[in-house]
Amino acid sequence: MLGLLRLNCCLLTAGLLLLGLGLGLRTEMQGMILAGLTAPGTLAIAILCTLGGLTLRFYRSLLFQAAASPLIPVDLSEQANAEAILRDNEERFRAIFEQAGVGMAILTLEGYFFRINQKLCDLLGYSRLELFTQRYHDLLVEEAHQDVDALAEMLLTGERSSYCAQQQYRRQDGSWLWGTTTLSLIRDAEGMPKYFIGVIEDISLQQAALQEREAAEESLRALLNAIQESAFLIDTHGMVLQGNQAIAHRLQTPLEELVGSSIATHLPPDIAEIYRHQAKTVLSTGQPSQFNDLVEGRHYENSIYPISDRDGYITRLAVFSIDLTESKQAEDALKQANAQLLDKVTQLELRHQEMVLLGKMNSFLQVCRSVAEAHRMVADLLRPLFPHCSGELFRLNATEQWMTQVAAWGELHTSQSQFPMQHCWALRRSQPHWGTASSTGLLCPHIHHHNPPAESLCLPMFAQGEIVGSLHLSSLIAGSLDEAKQQLAHTVAEHLALALASLELRETLKTQSTHDPLTGLYNRRFMVEALSYELQRSQRHDFTFCVVMLDVDHFKQFNDTFGHDAGDLVLRALGQLLRQNLREKDLPCRYGGEEIVLILPEIDCHTCYQRAEMIRRQVEALHLETETQSLNGITVSMGLACFPEHGHREAEIMQAADTALYTAKHKGRNCTVVAQQRPVAEHSH
């Protein structure tokens, strides 16, 4: 019985060994007979087979009896199944190995071929027999032997499990094949090296294309360097692919450092942003772009052209830059010559234009109705006469000897808006005074010295031999106030002084005829005319307006107690308060004694009442001082009537306001009362 078992094991072992040899692999096999591992009377047989790094283990259990027992037949179907599986695996391996699209070989540890597929023979042009007689080294260029040995040693020592490299192989006809080689080391179950498996992929076409590309790039480099202007290639992200020495010289960067870097890192930030914008435009439109830039005083004309691949996609951009500095300088020189030629003609035209503008100024000033209107017009009239200059017009307060700014134009206001006469050299010397930033000690004290203008000119203004104001001109640009402009400014100051003095005289006479001299408010005659005019205007345009009659409480007692001078002081203060707190179109009038009438156009009763109450509280807060005493506790009572609620005629409205004032007095004074609305029957009259 045991003899039969040994025979079966030997046959299985021999079959696996022949299979391994047929595959060109080393095959190891062990057979073990283990008894008593399952159950009494059972014999277990284990067969271990290592095939190409794959370990197969087969078990077989048999029952046996004592020698006196008869022999039992053994079922060998499991053994047949194992043999069928091995044959199937061998066929699959052979098919994969032979039909692979790349060259495959199995090498001994010494580098000899002992298994080769047909694809490798086709790639190298050798037969299988010819390759079996050669070592792997024999097919490589001699310069690669040392590197290959070093890599193989790393595989054997376990530093690496495989490697991949591009190598040249000698073909049978003497030509060379470029291939990507992947080599792996196979070890047995105990980790001992057994053989190498190599895969070789033909990359000759790729290498040829690479060499062709390198040759094209070399030709491109030669072409770029032959161009005198700056030229370079960038990809769609702005990375420099190629460039010539001209661009390297311009950017002061070695060409080796320039290539492979972003062009934006070698340009000023503002210029880099222009390049990015132009490149983006070319990529989006597919059309070339041209633009100019200025770097460190040099003028450049730049062009960007798109370069597309075979499929029409833009993959690169060609940039050319031409230095136009010399031609630009020549152009500027020509322009300067032309400018000098035209300068005299321009000066003549300028003098003529100044005379025209001066006549225009005189014409407008003659038809102005008030000094305030003239002040508003001065800026617009003088601005074109003195380009590149700022100006300020000052009027003299003869009583306080202070100069006050009444008009200004331009961006630079270098003078104080108010200053005493002594702070202007022109007024103290009664003649024009010109100063510069380089001689700040000679600038007038009223000029801000912390930020002085390049030029400053002050001119006194005389009327009937008396100083009435001054004209101040300044500029940040030296030469703006040359001799011709100074002479023009002197003429302008004379014309302004005479025109403004005439307007002031006319205005004074008019004011005296329409204003109360004590309070500065309109007089009663003006009030009657104004009330009639406002009533007609409101009726025509369907407006509302209000009349407020105001009376100082206990004014007679106040006069008797403090004197008439104190009473006049109260009326002057009241007039000033009203002028400061009413709208420009409101008309405060002195009706008589301590009574004042306010005509307020285009306002409703509610708003007018709030305005009157505000004035009443401000009067109550007045604190006046005489030379000998303080005046406190001044109050006013007010009666308010509106058109058309309280009347359709002047007399009706005034009567309604007077009645409301009388009611306020009887309610305890220091209050505002709105007139009672008339009955409907009265409205019809």
Side-chain angles (χ1 to χ4, degrees), residues 538-557:
S538 298
Q539 289 174 337
R540 185 167 56 252
H541 298 289
D542 196 23
F543 290 158
T544 62
F545 76 93
C546 296
V547 172
V548 177
M549 188 169 287
L550 178 152
D551 184 79
V552 179
D553 296 330
H554 304 297
F555 188 74
K556 184 177 183 304
Q557 182 181 349

Side-chain angles (χ1 to χ4, degrees), residues 16-37:
L16 291 175
L17 181 59
L18 290 175
L19 174 60
L21 292 176
L23 294 176
L25 304 175
R26 292 183 178 180
T27 304
E28 295 179 0
M29 182 173 295
Q30 287 183 332
M32 297 178 62
I33 300 177
L34 306 176
L37 297 180

Side-chain angles (χ1 to χ4, degrees), residues 20-59:
L21 292 176
L23 294 176
L25 304 175
R26 292 183 178 180
T27 304
E28 295 179 0
M29 182 173 295
Q30 287 183 332
M32 297 178 62
I33 300 177
L34 306 176
L37 297 180
T38 55
T42 301
L43 177 64
I45 302 175
I47 302 175
L48 295 154
C49 175
T50 303
L51 179 61
L54 177 66
T55 301
L56 304 175
R57 180 174 284 108
F58 301 93
Y59 293 96

Side-chain angles (χ1 to χ4, degrees), residues 458-583:
C458 290
L459 301 106
M461 295 168 53
F462 294 93
Q464 289 83 41
E466 299 291 334
I467 293 177
V468 295
S470 67
L471 176 64
H472 175 239
L473 300 172
S474 60
S475 176
L476 291 173
I477 304 174
S480 298
L481 293 171
D482 55 14
E483 186 176 349
K485 286 297 182 183
Q486 291 183 36
Q487 183 59 43
L488 176 64
H490 182 73
T491 304
V492 168
E494 290 180 349
H495 285 262
L496 277 176
L498 293 175
L500 292 176
S502 177
L503 282 171
E504 281 187 346
L505 178 60
R506 192 194 315 167
E507 201 170 65
T508 299
L509 294 175
K510 182 180 179 181
T511 300
Q512 289 176 352
S513 67
T514 59
H515 285 71
D516 172 60
L518 177 62
T519 61
L521 305 178
Y522 293 106
N523 56 27
R524 182 166 182 167
R525 191 183 74 174
F526 180 86
M527 184 207 74
V528 173
E529 295 177 356
L531 183 60
S532 176
Y533 170 79
E534 190 58 42
L535 180 62
Q536 294 176 17
R537 191 176 74 92
S538 298
Q539 289 174 337
R540 185 167 56 252
H541 298 289
D542 196 23
F543 290 158
T544 62
F545 76 93
C546 296
V547 172
V548 177
M549 188 169 287
L550 178 152
D551 184 79
V552 179
D553 296 330
H554 304 297
F555 188 74
K556 184 177 183 304
Q557 182 181 349
F558 188 88
N559 272 341
D560 295 341
T561 303
F562 298 104
H564 288 285
D565 290 342
D568 290 346
L569 176 63
V570 171
L571 292 177
R572 281 196 297 270
L574 183 58
Q576 182 179 4
L577 184 148
L578 292 173
R579 290 195 304 273
Q580 291 176 346
N581 291 277
L582 291 177
R583 300 172 299 174

Side-chain angles (χ1 to χ4, degrees), residues 138-200:
D138 298 337
L139 302 177
L140 301 173
V141 294
E142 186 175 352
E143 294 78 4
H145 289 180
Q146 187 174 357
D147 293 339
V148 170
D149 290 340
L151 290 170
E153 184 64 26
M154 294 175 69
L155 294 178
L156 291 171
T157 58
E159 294 182 44
R160 298 178 64 172
S161 61
S162 64
Y163 74 82
C164 182
Q166 292 183 359
Q167 295 171 336
Q168 276 185 296
Y169 295 92
R170 177 178 51 79
R171 296 170 57 87
Q172 200 275 343
D173 59 5
S175 61
W176 293 93
L177 169 76
W178 272 100
T180 299
T181 303
T182 303
L183 195 66
S184 302
L185 177 66
I186 303 301
R187 299 175 180 273
D188 60 15
E190 286 75 22
M192 296 300 295
K194 296 180 60 179
Y195 49 82
F196 296 103
I197 295 181
V199 178
I200 302 174

Side-chain angles (χ1 to χ4, degrees), residues 187-350:
R187 299 175 180 273
D188 60 15
E190 286 75 22
M192 296 300 295
K194 296 180 60 179
Y195 49 82
F196 296 103
I197 295 181
V199 178
I200 302 174
E201 182 181 4
D202 185 4
I203 60 169
S204 298
L205 293 178
Q206 295 92 316
Q207 283 297 118
L210 179 61
Q211 292 173 356
E212 182 179 351
R213 178 178 176 182
E214 291 177 349
E217 291 181 350
E218 184 61 33
S219 300
L220 179 59
R221 281 193 292 269
L223 177 61
L224 290 176
N225 285 321
I227 301 175
Q228 295 182 353
E229 293 80 15
S230 301
F232 56 96
L233 295 178
I234 58 175
D235 63 13
T236 55
H237 301 290
M239 303 300 291
V240 180
L241 304 175
Q242 290 290 348
N244 63 0
Q245 291 299 329
I247 186 62
H249 177 72
R250 171 186 165 183
L251 299 179
Q252 299 181 354
T253 303
L255 189 57
E256 295 77 11
E257 296 181 13
L258 185 62
V259 174
S261 64
S262 172
I263 187 64
T265 61
H266 303 283
L267 297 170
D270 54 337
I271 303 300
E273 183 59 32
I274 294 175
Y275 268 78
R276 276 192 290 265
H277 175 72
Q278 295 295 330
K280 185 178 180 180
T281 301
V282 173
L283 290 172
S284 61
T285 64
Q287 299 298 318
S289 175
Q290 287 188 339
F291 60 98
N292 296 334
D293 61 41
L294 178 64
V295 181
E296 298 180 355
R298 309 290 296 182
H299 295 267
Y300 296 95
E301 181 182 76
N302 308 287
S303 301
I304 300 181
Y305 296 91
I307 300 177
S308 304
D309 59 14
R310 295 178 180 178
D311 298 325
Y313 294 103
I314 299 176
T315 58
R316 293 180 293 175
L317 300 175
V319 185
F320 300 93
S321 183
I322 302 175
D323 191 342
L324 299 179
T325 305
E326 284 71 20
S327 59
K328 185 70 174 176
Q329 290 173 348
E331 181 183 352
D332 292 342
L334 181 60
K335 289 181 180 179
Q336 185 177 4
N338 291 335
Q340 292 174 352
L341 184 63
L342 296 175
D343 183 58
K344 291 185 178 180
V345 177
T346 304
Q347 290 298 324
L348 292 175
E349 292 178 351
L350 181 60

